[in-house]
Amino acid sequence: MELVKDYPLSKRFPELPLLSAANTKKHSDLIPFAFGHPAQESFDVPLLSQSAVSALQLDGPRALQYSGGSGPDFVLNWIQQRSKHVSISVETQNILVTAGSMQAIDLATRTLTDPGDHVWVEAPTFFGAIRQFSLAELKISSIPVDHNGLLTDELENKLKEAVKNNVPIPKFIYVMPNYHNPTGVCLSIDRRKKLAELAYEYNFYVLEDDAYVELSFSGKKLPSIYTFGPKRVIYLSTFSKTIAPGIRMGWALADDEQIILRMKMLKSDGSTSVFVQEIISHFLSDVKFDYHMKRINELYCTRKDAMISAVKECFGKEVTYTEPEGGFFLWLSFPEKVNTSEFAGDALARGVSFIESKYFYIDGAETNHIRLSFTFTNEEEIKKGVQRIAESYYRYKKSIEVLNEV
Amino acid sequence: MELVKDYPLSKRFPELPLLSAANTKKHSDLIPFAFGHPAQESFDVPLLSQSAVSALQLDGPRALQYSGGSGPDFVLNWIQQRSKHVSISVETQNILVTAGSMQAIDLATRTLTDPGDHVWVEAPTFFGAIRQFSLAELKISSIPVDHNGLLTDELENKLKEAVKNNVPIPKFIYVMPNYHNPTGVCLSIDRRKKLAELAYEYNFYVLEDDAYVELSFSGKKLPSIYTFGPKRVIYLSTFSKTIAPGIRMGWALADDEQIILRMKMLKSDGSTSVFVQEIISHFLSDVKFDYHMKRINELYCTRKDAMISAVKECFGKEVTYTEPEGGFFLWLSFPEKVNTSEFAGDALARGVSFIESKYFYIDGAETNHIRLSFTFTNEEEIKKGVQRIAESYYRYKKSIEVLNEV
């Protein structure tokens, strides 16, 4: 049979840049600082294995059915209790378990907005979130971040200006308050309060993505933005960094049950794998979670220290950074005229990957930073990887100096 | 803090009817014919348990990481091979593993359409699909089904008329070719061919939802619609009815890789739980799948026979039905003036649930049928459940006869 015409697919797909690190598998001895993978050593494989057997042997038929057994309720209760650590008090019907926190971002976005609506993000911000907002056909603007997180004064000015000029204010602002991706900084208490106040005053939501909250080297936790303005915050978190990403489990919570019900309606994968929830309920019931996190954070802190030592040794005063107190990432800033995309390919060829800053800005505005993940590789690899970056960088620097002399 | 204004949520949410069977948990001795749950006896719990242990012990760290180990590739290859049973030949990059086939419907829908586009469905059709199309803000029309499935002649007339009147033709038509939900009928070979020809001629897609294809009592399988028009068909299926719904795993396949890539882009849950895929890869590698399905189908055929016996005994010539040769459902048709919603509540109070026909029509047009699932309950329960429906029905019938006499 012959096809008569082309078929027009949906107009919703933006032209998205491919991450250069998508090619990372090609080098045989690659040191991957690019992606935010947890350390393999962080997975409690024996306990997960035992949990899987328990879930199936104790209540297999229910665990495998559409709605599951008691596991999903157990998981909800656990999240409810754990949320108290960031001063959140919430009923279980206000919590939705999702297949990872990216799904929570997607569902919250499509619950709050229609195509053409405005949304504001931090600059820099997580590229995965930018992608979701683009797919939702939103207009995206950004507000800068400093070492204390989102600049709420600048936010307030921008809101005032929008109102003055009769320009749409955002339906929501997407913020990562703890160990921000990519910069690693935390939003100060004062700014958390200020942000919640602005949300109430100007009537926008805050999408509070708290994926890294448990990754605190000191064990210290600040109260969430939600605490200060529950009626205009949707709070998200995940088990990806604490138990394992492969289980695909995160959650969203909101004070307004209508939001949770609508997110559930959009959730076309049904209840997030009840089979996995049954397994995770056994895991959570048996693990000593605080001890489990302490072990992981000690490992990550050591790796972070190793990375900072290597950076000092290889780069001296050539770069700047805010030393992270948790999370997964070190954000290295080179002199302003540097374009890190110009040596990312050479670095990859030498066997090290990182993500260039342009991917973290909606307009690719700042090009002189790179994001390095310190969690997945060991101390020896970290040292070697940073050396490889330095080789690439200094070679690039020399080449532009030569160009400038010409 | 005070909230100044109401916050308008997205306009995409339709007013959706709540299924009355959503209340099914309330009766202590309920016989649930309402939902399409597989029999608990169909789950191979010991092998799944063993598969979970193997997946974690042999390759735990990779199974728990974002991208998984060798499991996802194994699953893709298995689907590729199994697709040959319905005459589909496809490369693995043209297959997308999804978290159940409903997610595949959602992703395909948003890949093919924009809000306001038209889509046509069978009448009756699966309410879950109607829900996805409503959430995607599509305009839905329907074409009737008879005992050989979708009326392709009527479809052709409607297409001709649309072209003549310069009315939009559908972006896609959603069809269940095998053991159709809710009627249980199969689309004849001639109509499959005709449908594919029309798709090519009029330039629309067919969303071929083949969730029940493996549930064949005779073991016989017809070639898929995809076979006759791969360039205008997206084919979907699932492990929910064959392995277990709780694992949340299905798939979509398409000849056009651009469609698969875009569906992947919309898939905000990342790779469908790689942890579960690792487990399922071990399961698929060890199970004798044909034997496994034969065992399940024998069980379901016995239950279907029990249901038909009970219907004959309790209803005689009062109802009609097409005896299903597979699948999950018996579709009972009462005399035309009957409104099955008028005795569904009473039936529920007597301890039996079913789904009334209004939920399967976009406009609730036909009210005189009910869908009964014969898979989840045993022969004794089936007999008792059908008796309860009969009690409710005859009580209702008497009451409307009295009304008519008045």
Side-chain angles (χ1 to χ4, degrees), chain B residues 65-118:
Chain B
Q65 202 51 275
Y66 278 102
S67 41
S70 55
D73 276 346
F74 188 97
V75 171
L76 280 179
N77 283 315
W78 189 93
I79 294 169
Q80 180 186 40
Q81 291 308 313
R82 194 75 190 173
S83 300
K84 292 181 181 164
H85 288 223
V86 286
S87 312
I88 292 178
S89 163
V90 68
E91 301 300 318
T92 52
Q93 71 265 28
N94 294 70
I95 304 171
L96 178 67
V97 172
T98 58
S101 64
M102 182 83 97
Q103 190 188 47
I105 294 174
D106 173 26
L107 300 176
T109 300
R110 288 190 286 135
T111 295
L112 297 181
T113 68
D114 292 297
D117 280 347
H118 289 246

Side-chain angles (χ1 to χ4, degrees), chain B residues 268-311:
Chain B
S268 59
D269 54 342
S271 301
T272 297
S273 178
V274 289
F275 172 57
V276 180
Q277 289 200 57
E278 293 293 334
I279 296 173
I280 295 306
S281 73
H282 284 272
F283 180 88
L284 290 170
S285 130
D286 292 343
V287 74
K288 290 177 174 59
F289 197 79
D290 285 326
Y291 174 76
H292 171 76
M293 287 316 305
K294 191 163 175 283
R295 185 178 68 81
I296 295 176
N297 282 319
E298 280 169 5
L299 176 71
Y300 289 170
C301 190
T302 308
R303 291 181 172 185
K304 182 263 300 173
D305 288 342
M307 188 171 272
I308 287 189
S309 295
V311 165

Side-chain angles (χ1 to χ4, degrees), chain B residues 12-307:
Chain B
R12 80 186 75 229
F13 298 100
E15 288 294 326
L16 291 169
L18 280 176
L19 292 184
S20 58
N23 300 314
T24 47
K25 274 186 184 161
K26 286 174 187 164
H27 193 283
S28 62
D29 170 36
L30 184 86
I31 297 169
F33 294 149
F35 286 130
H37 285 27
Q40 310 226 346
E41 298 88 336
S42 73
F43 304 148
D44 190 340
V45 177
L47 186 55
L48 276 165
S49 190
Q50 186 190 310
S51 304
V53 173
S54 301
L56 282 161
Q57 283 180 351
L58 295 177
D59 202 10
R62 288 209 304 157
L64 291 163
Q65 202 51 275
Y66 278 102
S67 41
S70 55
D73 276 346
F74 188 97
V75 171
L76 280 179
N77 283 315
W78 189 93
I79 294 169
Q80 180 186 40
Q81 291 308 313
R82 194 75 190 173
S83 300
K84 292 181 181 164
H85 288 223
V86 286
S87 312
I88 292 178
S89 163
V90 68
E91 301 300 318
T92 52
Q93 71 265 28
N94 294 70
I95 304 171
L96 178 67
V97 172
T98 58
S101 64
M102 182 83 97
Q103 190 188 47
I105 294 174
D106 173 26
L107 300 176
T109 300
R110 288 190 286 135
T111 295
L112 297 181
T113 68
D114 292 297
D117 280 347
H118 289 246
V119 60
W120 292 358
V121 302
E122 295 167 296
T125 191
F126 172 41
F127 47 80
I130 298 179
R131 182 188 175 105
Q132 293 309 318
F133 305 149
S134 303
L135 286 168
E137 300 173 83
L138 302 178
K139 294 186 175 129
I140 316 172
S141 314
S142 64
I143 314 279
V145 160
D146 71 8
H147 60 284
N148 283 318
L150 181 76
L151 292 168
T152 43
D153 285 346
E154 194 145 331
L155 169 63
E156 187 169 18
N157 290 338
K158 200 169 162 169
L159 287 165
K160 276 183 185 158
E161 213 175 312
V163 171
K164 204 178 94 187
N165 299 329
N166 210 10
V167 162
I169 67 148
K171 289 299 296 276
F172 67 81
I173 300 187
Y174 171 74
V175 177
M176 275 167 290
N178 292 308
Y179 320 116
H180 175 264
N181 176 3
T183 64
V185 301
C186 290
L187 188 64
S188 69
I189 282 274
D190 287 350
R191 292 189 187 173
R192 289 173 194 233
K193 281 185 195 158
K194 181 73 185 175
L195 181 54
E197 282 166 18
L198 291 172
Y200 275 50
E201 187 182 341
Y202 287 88
N203 202 31
F204 59 83
Y205 259 87
V206 175
L207 208 55
E208 180 175 17
D209 181 352
D210 213 5
Y212 298 95
V213 60
E214 298 285 355
L215 284 301
S216 162
F217 300 149
S218 67
K220 207 181 70 177
K221 285 180 192 163
L222 295 178
S224 59
I225 307 166
Y226 183 94
T227 320
F228 301 112
K231 291 195 188 307
R232 282 297 177 267
V233 179
I234 299 177
Y235 178 92
L236 319 171
S237 196
T238 179
F239 288 123
S240 288
K241 322 293 175 186
T242 57
I243 301 180
I247 63 167
R248 305 306 308 128
M249 202 174 293
W251 64 91
L253 60 87
D255 182 74
D256 181 355
E257 203 185 336
Q258 287 306 314
I259 286 185
I260 296 298
L261 289 173
R262 280 175 172 71
M263 287 176 69
K264 218 178 254 183
M265 217 184 259
L266 289 174
K267 200 174 172 317
S268 59
D269 54 342
S271 301
T272 297
S273 178
V274 289
F275 172 57
V276 180
Q277 289 200 57
E278 293 293 334
I279 296 173
I280 295 306
S281 73
H282 284 272
F283 180 88
L284 290 170
S285 130
D286 292 343
V287 74
K288 290 177 174 59
F289 197 79
D290 285 326
Y291 174 76
H292 171 76
M293 287 316 305
K294 191 163 175 283
R295 185 178 68 81
I296 295 176
N297 282 319
E298 280 169 5
L299 176 71
Y300 289 170
C301 190
T302 308
R303 291 181 172 185
K304 182 263 300 173
D305 288 342
M307 188 171 272

